[in-house]
Amino acid sequence: MIITSKSNPTIKEIIKLNDKKFRREAGLYLVEGTKPVNECIAAGGEVERVVCTEKLSENYDNPIVVSEEVFGAISSEKTPQGVIAVVKIPQNNLKSPENSCILLDRLQDPGNLGTIIRTANAAGYREIYLINCTDPYSPKAVRASMSGIFFTEIFQGSEEEILKALGGMPLISADMYGENIFGFDPPSKFCLCIGNEGSGISDVIKNNSDYKVKIPMSETCESLNAAVSAGIAMYVLKERNFK
């Protein structure tokens, strides 16, 4: 059966998952596109259901098949590929990191957040701690993560809770007044802290940091995008791992 009505109760519930409030209440999020959906399944994501158009229905087990019009109502893409997975949000209890990790403090741009998750996965940072950030499970953040969200652990909590979980892990904060990151010798394990796009790292995180580093820039440049800064720092601090 092909669902052709946007008023179908199941479709209405899925459309709601584009909203943060309903994602939180349902404990579900959306993964869209052929490659992301397939990688989510391969990574062991808890896929509740797959919604797709008729032409893709043979690729998935027991999918919800919908018309092109209905799929367009669910999709957040400009050019939908015709498949969306409804996936359980992992319930990761706060714990101490096992290896070098990332702390993101009040990031508000979902594109930045997703890009950092993508780069963290590429650079081998598996544990990512979020303090008052935008929703990492929003469609835009998931899309920007390029499947990185399936291969990293996301932990969310208050400043106090996360600092406690990080315990004795040395904190390295990205700060414009820190020492040159290209001459910095990091400890073998650490937590890289990246702050808000406009105001940087909070005073509390900064005061708890063991080190502060900066990326040198020309005089004509005031700052770098948060995701770009994070990407450079992630690789520079793990340079010895890539030699």
Side-chain angles (χ1 to χ4, degrees):
M1 182 184 78
I2 300 176
I3 296 175
T4 58
S5 172
K6 301 173 191 175
S7 299
N8 177 282
T10 299
I11 299 305
K12 288 171 72 174
E13 290 300 309
I14 293 171
I15 290 173
K16 285 180 180 179
L17 295 176
N18 283 296
D19 184 278
K20 179 181 179 180
K21 175 187 174 183
F22 291 103
R23 284 194 297 274
R24 185 178 296 168
E25 289 177 357
L28 301 168
Y29 72 107
L30 300 177
V31 175
E32 180 166 3
T34 304
K35 188 170 184 287
V37 168
N38 291 343
E39 289 185 341
C40 180
I41 294 169
E46 292 190 63
V47 177
E48 290 243 317
R49 61 191 68 173
V50 171
V51 183
C52 64
T53 55
E54 187 176 13
K55 63 183 178 182
L56 295 178
S57 60
E58 293 183 359
N59 297 340
Y60 303 97
D61 293 330
N62 300 315
I64 297 172
V65 183
V66 301
S67 66
E68 298 278 354
E69 184 181 3
V70 170
F71 192 88
I74 301 171
S75 173
S76 61
E77 297 277 10
K78 290 181 180 178
T79 54
Q81 294 179 17
V83 61
I84 288 177
V86 179
V87 186
K88 281 189 178 180
I89 295 174
Q91 299 303 307
N92 296 325
N93 295 322
L94 271 175
K95 66 178 182 66
S96 299
E98 295 180 11
N99 294 292
S100 293
C101 60
I102 306 292
L103 185 156
L104 303 178
D105 178 27
R106 297 170 294 121
L107 259 70
Q108 296 306 304
D109 185 290
N112 279 339
L113 178 55
T115 300
I116 291 172
I117 292 170
R118 174 185 184 179
T119 309
N121 178 48
Y125 296 81
R126 300 291 178 232
E127 297 150 314
I128 303 173
Y129 295 81
L130 308 183
I131 299 173
N132 296 327
C133 289
T134 188
D135 184 9
Y137 298 101
S138 71
K140 187 173 180 180
V142 172
R143 183 164 58 247
S145 82
M146 293 295 287
S147 299
I149 200 161
F150 312 138
F151 301 100
T152 53
E153 287 187 281
I154 309 293
F155 301 97
Q156 302 187 66
S158 67
E159 208 167 49
E160 182 180 0
E161 289 169 338
I162 286 182
L163 284 173
K164 183 178 179 180
L166 291 172
M169 181 70 79
L171 303 186
I172 303 174
S173 286
D175 183 88
M176 62 187 300
Y177 299 107
E179 63 179 289
N180 189 328
I181 193 170
F182 291 100
F184 175 68
D185 185 22
S188 57
K189 291 183 181 180
F190 56 84
C191 176
L192 170 62
C193 308
I194 302 293
N196 174 270
E197 291 90 346
S199 57
I201 291 169
S202 74
D203 289 339
V204 173
I205 300 298
K206 197 177 294 186
N207 292 338
N208 277 276
S209 294
D210 301 273
Y211 310 95
K212 299 180 184 69
V213 295
K214 69 177 179 182
I215 298 169
M217 296 178 285
S218 72
E219 294 179 357
T220 57
C221 182
E222 181 182 335
S223 64
L224 288 171
N225 169 276
V228 172
S229 297
I232 293 170
M234 278 188 253
Y235 273 95
V236 171
L237 293 174
K238 273 196 171 187
E239 181 184 8
R240 63 168 72 96
N241 293 17
F242 299 103
K243 289 182 177 179

